PDB file of all heavy atoms in Angstrom:
ATOM      1  N   PHE A 211     -14.868   6.538 -21.811  1.00 94.00           N
ATOM      2  CA  PHE A 211     -14.540   7.090 -20.513  1.00 94.00           C
ATOM      3  C   PHE A 211     -15.689   7.941 -19.972  1.00 94.00           C
ATOM      4  O   PHE A 211     -16.206   8.787 -20.755  1.00 94.00           O
ATOM      5  CB  PHE A 211     -13.333   7.876 -20.499  1.00 94.00           C
ATOM      6  CG  PHE A 211     -12.887   8.412 -19.138  1.00 94.00           C
ATOM      7  CD1 PHE A 211     -12.609   7.468 -18.193  1.00 94.00           C
ATOM      8  CD2 PHE A 211     -12.795   9.867 -18.975  1.00 94.00           C
ATOM      9  CE1 PHE A 211     -12.152   7.925 -16.923  1.00 94.00           C
ATOM     10  CE2 PHE A 211     -12.437  10.203 -17.716  1.00 94.00           C
ATOM     11  CZ  PHE A 211     -12.014   9.285 -16.634  1.00 94.00           C
ATOM     12  N   SER A 212     -16.218   7.730 -18.799  1.00 84.00           N
ATOM     13  CA  SER A 212     -17.312   8.420 -18.171  1.00 84.00           C
ATOM     14  C   SER A 212     -18.460   8.593 -19.184  1.00 84.00           C
ATOM     15  O   SER A 212     -19.028   9.715 -19.181  1.00 84.00           O
ATOM     16  CB  SER A 212     -16.933   9.839 -17.657  1.00 84.00           C
ATOM     17  OG  SER A 212     -15.671   9.801 -17.259  1.00 84.00           O
ATOM     18  N   GLU A 213     -18.775   7.482 -19.908  1.00 81.00           N
ATOM     19  CA  GLU A 213     -20.009   7.638 -20.796  1.00 81.00           C
ATOM     20  C   GLU A 213     -19.855   8.733 -21.806  1.00 81.00           C
ATOM     21  O   GLU A 213     -20.933   9.026 -22.318  1.00 81.00           O
ATOM     22  CB  GLU A 213     -21.258   7.665 -19.881  1.00 81.00           C
ATOM     23  CG  GLU A 213     -21.719   6.285 -19.526  1.00 81.00           C
ATOM     24  CD  GLU A 213     -21.829   6.380 -17.898  1.00 81.00           C
ATOM     25  OE1 GLU A 213     -22.636   7.190 -17.394  1.00 81.00           O
ATOM     26  OE2 GLU A 213     -21.262   5.454 -17.285  1.00 81.00           O
ATOM     27  N   ILE A 214     -18.648   9.300 -22.035  1.00 84.00           N
ATOM     28  CA  ILE A 214     -18.697  10.316 -23.141  1.00 84.00           C
ATOM     29  C   ILE A 214     -18.424   9.594 -24.532  1.00 84.00           C
ATOM     30  O   ILE A 214     -18.393  10.401 -25.449  1.00 84.00           O
ATOM     31  CB  ILE A 214     -17.531  11.316 -22.786  1.00 84.00           C
ATOM     32  CG1 ILE A 214     -16.188  10.662 -22.585  1.00 84.00           C
ATOM     33  CG2 ILE A 214     -17.946  12.188 -21.615  1.00 84.00           C
ATOM     34  CD1 ILE A 214     -14.989  11.600 -22.422  1.00 84.00           C
ATOM     35  N   GLY A 215     -18.191   8.398 -24.541  1.00 88.00           N
ATOM     36  CA  GLY A 215     -17.913   7.718 -25.809  1.00 88.00           C
ATOM     37  C   GLY A 215     -16.598   7.846 -26.328  1.00 88.00           C
ATOM     38  O   GLY A 215     -16.386   7.670 -27.545  1.00 88.00           O
ATOM     39  N   ALA A 216     -15.672   8.416 -25.556  1.00 96.00           N
ATOM     40  CA  ALA A 216     -14.304   8.660 -26.082  1.00 96.00           C
ATOM     41  C   ALA A 216     -13.262   8.369 -24.992  1.00 96.00           C
ATOM     42  O   ALA A 216     -13.739   8.419 -23.878  1.00 96.00           O
ATOM     43  CB  ALA A 216     -14.174  10.183 -26.550  1.00 96.00           C
ATOM     44  N   PRO A 217     -11.992   8.088 -25.287  1.00 97.00           N
ATOM     45  CA  PRO A 217     -11.026   7.947 -24.364  1.00 97.00           C
ATOM     46  C   PRO A 217     -10.869   9.120 -23.364  1.00 97.00           C
ATOM     47  O   PRO A 217     -11.204  10.304 -23.705  1.00 97.00           O
ATOM     48  CB  PRO A 217      -9.803   7.751 -25.096  1.00 97.00           C
ATOM     49  CG  PRO A 217     -10.219   7.386 -26.617  1.00 97.00           C
ATOM     50  CD  PRO A 217     -11.432   8.131 -26.815  1.00 97.00           C
ATOM     51  N   ASP A 218     -10.240   8.722 -22.144  1.00 97.00           N
ATOM     52  CA  ASP A 218      -9.889   9.874 -21.230  1.00 97.00           C
ATOM     53  C   ASP A 218      -8.872  10.740 -21.835  1.00 97.00           C
ATOM     54  O   ASP A 218      -7.773  10.414 -22.250  1.00 97.00           O
ATOM     55  CB  ASP A 218      -9.294   8.989 -20.048  1.00 97.00           C
ATOM     56  CG  ASP A 218      -8.775  10.071 -18.821  1.00 97.00           C
ATOM     57  OD1 ASP A 218      -8.683  11.181 -19.025  1.00 97.00           O
ATOM     58  OD2 ASP A 218      -8.703   9.558 -17.820  1.00 97.00           O
ATOM     59  N   ASP A 219      -9.247  12.051 -22.015  1.00 96.00           N
ATOM     60  CA  ASP A 219      -8.266  12.994 -22.737  1.00 96.00           C
ATOM     61  C   ASP A 219      -7.042  13.363 -21.866  1.00 96.00           C
ATOM     62  O   ASP A 219      -6.107  14.237 -22.385  1.00 96.00           O
ATOM     63  CB  ASP A 219      -9.093  14.155 -23.194  1.00 96.00           C
ATOM     64  CG  ASP A 219      -9.639  14.949 -22.090  1.00 96.00           C
ATOM     65  OD1 ASP A 219      -9.268  14.785 -20.921  1.00 96.00           O
ATOM     66  OD2 ASP A 219     -10.439  15.900 -22.419  1.00 96.00           O
ATOM     67  N   THR A 220      -6.865  12.829 -20.668  1.00 98.00           N
ATOM     68  CA  THR A 220      -5.809  13.115 -19.921  1.00 98.00           C
ATOM     69  C   THR A 220      -4.606  12.142 -20.241  1.00 98.00           C
ATOM     70  O   THR A 220      -3.450  12.198 -19.739  1.00 98.00           O
ATOM     71  CB  THR A 220      -5.937  13.247 -18.444  1.00 98.00           C
ATOM     72  OG1 THR A 220      -6.370  11.943 -17.951  1.00 98.00           O
ATOM     73  CG2 THR A 220      -6.973  14.149 -17.981  1.00 98.00           C
ATOM     74  N   ILE A 221      -4.867  11.181 -21.098  1.00 98.00           N
ATOM     75  CA  ILE A 221      -3.791  10.137 -21.355  1.00 98.00           C
ATOM     76  C   ILE A 221      -3.036  10.621 -22.768  1.00 98.00           C
ATOM     77  O   ILE A 221      -3.550  10.984 -23.569  1.00 98.00           O
ATOM     78  CB  ILE A 221      -4.373   8.761 -21.877  1.00 98.00           C
ATOM     79  CG1 ILE A 221      -5.517   8.263 -20.832  1.00 98.00           C
ATOM     80  CG2 ILE A 221      -3.375   7.770 -22.215  1.00 98.00           C
ATOM     81  CD1 ILE A 221      -6.103   6.891 -21.177  1.00 98.00           C
ATOM     82  N   GLU A 222      -1.815  10.533 -22.561  1.00 98.00           N
ATOM     83  CA  GLU A 222      -0.790  10.873 -23.623  1.00 98.00           C
ATOM     84  C   GLU A 222      -1.058  10.035 -24.816  1.00 98.00           C
ATOM     85  O   GLU A 222      -1.290   8.889 -24.675  1.00 98.00           O
ATOM     86  CB  GLU A 222       0.631  10.911 -23.037  1.00 98.00           C
ATOM     87  CG  GLU A 222       1.667  11.280 -24.029  1.00 98.00           C
ATOM     88  CD  GLU A 222       2.275  10.234 -24.791  1.00 98.00           C
ATOM     89  OE1 GLU A 222       2.165   8.991 -24.350  1.00 98.00           O
ATOM     90  OE2 GLU A 222       2.849  10.501 -25.801  1.00 98.00           O
TER      91      GLU A 222
END
Side-chain angles (χ1 to χ4, degrees):
F211 184 62
S212 320
E213 280 124 54
I214 56 176
D218 182 342
D219 63 10
T220 62
I221 308 177
E222 184 266 335

